[in-house]
Amino acid sequence: MPYEEQLEYKMRLEHKLLSQFGKIEPIIGMYYPYHYRNKVQAAFGYDKRAGKIISGVYQSGSHKIVSVDSCNIEDKKADEIIVTIRKLCKDFKFIPRHVLVKRGFSTNQIMVVIVTGTPILPAKNNFIKALLSAHPEITTIIHNINPYETNLVLGDRENVLYGKGYIEDELLGCTFRISAKSFYQINPSQTEKLYKTAIEYAGFTGNESALDAYCGTGTIGIIAARNGAKNVIGVELEKSAVRDAISNAKRNKIDNIYFYNADATNFINEMAKSGEHLDVVLMDPPRAGSTEEFLDAVATLAPERVVYISCNPETLARDLLYFTSTTSYKVEKIQPVDMFPHTAHVETVVLLSK
Ligand code: SAH
């Protein structure tokens, strides 16, 4: 489907689900909607019939690997590195389970994660040497051990084989640390547009207390703390993401932000019970959306504005319907952003006010 048509398709979807709440701004598309994925992950295996090692993606609903050399939405350099590793595997006589490559587009730092089922990586030092001589641009290499055959690519144990064990990237003038496991938006140029919209909707004037719920590595909260929020609290379920968030705040010399490792619903309930004050709630839940309990607690805390960032318009519509029908909050603005060109996904920022 031509890109313009994709944007129209996404707008139709947004209209169908969200026009009941108000006017929808035209979707923010991408100027060059290719090679935007800064994170590429490939499954490795042995194709018995062809007698060779293959790497790529799983065919949907199966564990059969479809070989991929390059993909129009993935970072070119990441694809090249994966093809190199596939060739090296033949010489080194081992097959990883997965290989994950992340690149900081604005810093050009590159992380390679080799995932194996056992702690042993044959001829480790020579393998690293060969990989680095083919791709001297790699800044860190990590060995991750995942003994389980699950849908999760990464296991809990990792050894840094080369470099710092993380990479960094910049968004809106702030620097962020990205580790192997932590969540980081995969389309950085569109992420800047998304975050800019969210910060604009938050309407900070220098006096606001804000909550960044489902904060991941703290990106939105840190940008808010630097751009007009008086103080920010971030809450996130994933322990390693919270660790990254804390170091991200330090790295950017932000001292008006605090992070908590908790379930967002439990956390905001506690805030509501102890009568805390909030002016702005920023929320960016995963695809499953938020909970009625979370939204009830938002109503109790009664912030002036709520900025809901959503990667799934269906759960967004469900949550907005609940929130607007049980409270006096109204939807003021709806801004779709195309974070994932050439896929069916669409991201939306919504401003609600009391
Ligand atoms: N705002 C961040 C992350 C958004 S992704 C960014 O823009 O990068 C959604 C995040 O919600 C993930 O980091 C996930 O770990 C977290 N999450 C999922 N369920 C949660 C819950 N119940 N409570 C708190 N955080 C949760």
Side-chain angles (χ1 to χ4, degrees), residues 183 185 195 214-216 219-220 235-238 262-264 284-286:
F183 177 91
Q185 297 284 353
Y195 288 176
Y214 311 90
C215 70
T219 43
I220 298 172
V235 59
E236 160 65 42
L237 193 58
E238 194 67 49
D263 167 70
D284 185 10

Side-chain angles (χ1 to χ4, degrees), residues 2 15-16 21 23 43 61 67 117 158 164 211 238 295 313-314 319 331 338 348 352:
H15 274 290
K16 197 177 108 200
F21 302 106
K23 180 172 164 267
S67 187
E158 64 176 43
K164 293 186 287 194
L211 176 71
E238 194 67 49
L295 297 166
E314 286 179 10
D319 289 349
V331 172
D338 191 21
T348 318
L352 295 121

Side-chain angles (χ1 to χ4, degrees), residues 112-163:
V112 174
V113 186
I114 313 277
V115 187
T116 61
T118 64
I120 297 142
L121 201 60
K124 190 165 71 186
N125 292 338
N126 285 334
F127 177 80
I128 296 165
K129 217 185 263 173
L131 181 56
L132 286 171
S133 90
H135 295 284
E137 62 277 14
I138 293 170
T139 54
T140 192
I141 303 173
I142 296 165
H143 177 203
N144 180 284
I145 299 133
N146 188 2
Y148 309 108
E149 293 264 12
T150 65
N151 285 330
L152 291 176
V153 170
L154 297 178
D156 289 328
R157 278 174 65 192
E158 64 176 43
N159 299 319
V160 178
L161 304 179
Y162 173 76

Side-chain angles (χ1 to χ4, degrees), residues 50-62:
K52 60 178 187 186
I53 298 167
I54 54 170
S55 70
V57 295
Y58 289 125
Q59 185 178 315
S60 69
S62 94

